[in-house]
């Protein structure tokens, strides 16, 4: 955690919440979540609990950590089948803090990372949770994003090639060349870029650690969190990303899979079962899914490498300083693309 409330900022937040009839007395704040991107706090006055989301301390990369955009998206989704927290208030930059933030309802269920808690810790309940996740993803991709006012959220035409190029720019050199250890996956993605499978509202960070489960049975999602990367694009990117974050028995876990290690427990659907469920729900052609999974893993490597360089510049989160984190994602990307197998056959 690189930022926390002071007595002065906490009092300013308290006045803001009381002024919006959200709280009625003195508040306490507690950091929740992994804290490596936007900062999330549980705020309570003893009777009522809410969640406050704010960006990390400046400097912030252009277009990143946009709290007002995230709040608008959650508000638009509130009337859909996708379970999301309710946005209760929004503060502009300078109104309370030197950055904008928003206040949302608190979903009291568990966020699962390394262990599934009781009463959800049975094979049947875990299977129900896994299928609820993929069903929610299908529901998200069926949202009429124009009808809910999100037509300006992104540009779906040419999304795949454009997204690939935009991410490349975070790590390429002045001549446009990627780092040497990125080059093989980078070239494979560019050579195999598929046309878009469709246009949908996509989350871009959909994994078990970014959802709140209902605390009782049956196992199901109560709220989807962390919408900062959401856009209008190819829905298969969400499916590929989810697969990239699901750990596999007997394989080392990349850093994001470690945040969902609970999915190794008995009962959670396998990757193949999740894919089949999504196919049954949506009828989408999933022939190119390996490209989207590879893209997701390569993209995580890019973001971790970009964040690692920020640490070297003295302005980033020290969590990202270990270069082995980047290599973990790149290794999984090579396996997803079949490049690791090809290299082994050559040797």
């Amino acid at each position: 955690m690189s930022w926390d409330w002071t007595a002065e900022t906490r009092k300013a937040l308290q006045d803001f919440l009381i002024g919006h009839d959200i709280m009625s007395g003195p508040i306490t704040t507690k950091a929740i979540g992994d804290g490596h991107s936007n900062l999330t706090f549980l705020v309570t006055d003893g009777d009522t609990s809410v969640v406050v989301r704010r960006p990390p301390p400046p400097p912030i990369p252009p277009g990143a950590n946009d709290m007002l955009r995230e709040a608008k998206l959650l508000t638009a989704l509130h009337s859909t089948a996708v379970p999301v927290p309710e946005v209760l208030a929004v503060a502009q930059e300078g109104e309370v803090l030197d950055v904008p933030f928003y206040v949302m309802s608190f979903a009291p269920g568990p966020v699962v990372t390394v262990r599934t808690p009781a009463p959800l810790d049975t094979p049947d309940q875990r299977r129900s949770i896994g299928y609820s996740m993929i069903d929610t993803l299908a529901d998200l991709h069926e949202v009429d994003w124009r009808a809910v006012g999100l037509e300006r959220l992104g540009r779906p035409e040419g999304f795949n090639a454009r997204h690939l190029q935009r991410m490349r720019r975070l790590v390429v050199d002045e001549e446009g060349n990627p780092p040497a250890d990125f080059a093989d996956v980078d070239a494979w993605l560019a050579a195999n870029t598929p046309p878009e499978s469709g246009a949908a509202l996509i989350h871009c960070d959909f994994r078990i650690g970014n959802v709140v489960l209902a605390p009782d049975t049956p196992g199901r999602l109560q709220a989807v969190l962390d919408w900062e990367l959401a856009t209008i694009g190819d829905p298969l990117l969400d499916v590929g990303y989810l697969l990239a974050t699901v750990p596999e028995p007997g394989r080392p876990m990349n850093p994001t899979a470690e945040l969902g290690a609970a999915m190794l427990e008995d009962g959670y659907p396998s990757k193949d079962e999740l894919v089949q469920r999504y196919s049954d729900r949506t009828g989408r052609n999933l022939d190119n899914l390996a490209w989207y999974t590879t893209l997701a893993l390569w993209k995580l490597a890019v973001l971790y490498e970009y964040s690692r360089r920020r640490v070297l510049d003295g302005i980033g989160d020290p969590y990202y300083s270990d270069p082995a984190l980047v290599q973990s994602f790149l290794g999984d990307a090579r396996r997803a693309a079949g490049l690791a197998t090809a290299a082994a056959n050559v040797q």
Side-chain angles (χ1 to χ4, degrees), residues 206-229:
F206 190 89
R207 55 185 175 85
I208 196 169
N210 276 343
V211 303
V212 179
L213 304 182
D216 54 355
T217 59
R220 65 198 187 279
L221 270 59
Q222 181 165 240
V224 181
L225 308 176
D226 291 356
W227 291 86
E228 64 183 279
L229 302 176

Side-chain angles (χ1 to χ4, degrees), residues 92-327:
Q92 303 290 330
E93 179 181 344
E95 185 176 353
V96 179
L97 302 174
D98 60 348
V99 294
F101 66 85
Y102 70 89
V103 184
M104 62 182 172
S105 60
F106 171 62
V111 175
V112 169
T113 52
V114 298
R115 183 180 64 83
T116 309
L120 305 174
D121 57 344
T122 69
D124 286 347
Q125 297 306 322
R126 295 185 190 112
R127 180 161 296 271
S128 180
I129 292 167
Y131 284 146
S132 178
M133 287 180 61
I134 205 70
D135 289 346
T136 297
L137 202 56
D139 287 340
L140 172 63
H141 297 160
E142 291 169 2
V143 167
D144 186 339
W145 42 275
R146 296 183 182 88
V148 298
L150 298 176
E151 64 278 357
R152 295 186 179 181
L153 195 68
R155 293 184 294 132
E157 300 82 8
F159 174 84
N160 289 339
R162 189 172 64 252
H163 192 63
L164 178 62
Q165 291 305 313
R166 183 168 67 86
M167 297 308 301
R168 288 184 81 252
R169 288 197 291 270
L170 293 177
V171 293
V172 296
D173 61 23
E174 293 181 355
E175 285 74 41
N177 299 313
D181 48 355
F182 281 74
D184 56 345
V185 180
D186 182 279
W188 185 89
L189 287 168
N192 293 279
T193 304
E196 288 68 40
S197 69
L201 176 60
I202 58 176
H203 185 277
C204 292
D205 196 10
F206 190 89
R207 55 185 175 85
I208 196 169
N210 276 343
V211 303
V212 179
L213 304 182
D216 54 355
T217 59
R220 65 198 187 279
L221 270 59
Q222 181 165 240
V224 181
L225 308 176
D226 291 356
W227 291 86
E228 64 183 279
L229 302 176
T231 189
I232 307 300
D234 191 327
L236 294 191
L237 180 61
D238 270 346
V239 182
Y241 181 87
L242 176 60
L243 297 182
T245 70
V246 174
E248 295 182 88
R251 283 196 179 278
M253 290 184 283
N254 65 55
T256 306
E258 288 178 355
L259 298 176
M263 294 191 77
L264 289 172
E265 296 170 342
D266 185 29
Y268 278 107
S270 67
K271 291 185 179 185
D272 288 343
E273 289 171 327
L274 291 171
V275 169
Q276 187 60 54
R277 179 84 168 202
Y278 184 84
S279 176
D280 292 343
R281 271 291 312 269
T282 65
R284 293 186 186 277
N285 184 327
L286 304 181
D287 289 348
N288 291 319
L289 193 53
W291 186 87
Y292 295 91
T293 305
T294 304
L295 175 68
L297 290 160
W298 171 87
K299 178 179 174 180
L300 285 163
V302 166
L303 292 171
Y304 270 62
E305 173 63 14
Y306 175 77
S307 298
R308 187 187 70 83
R309 294 179 185 183
R310 282 170 57 84
V311 174
L312 295 178
D313 291 337
I315 57 175
D317 186 335
Y319 164 79
Y320 295 103
S321 60
D322 184 359
L325 302 178
V326 175
Q327 296 307 316

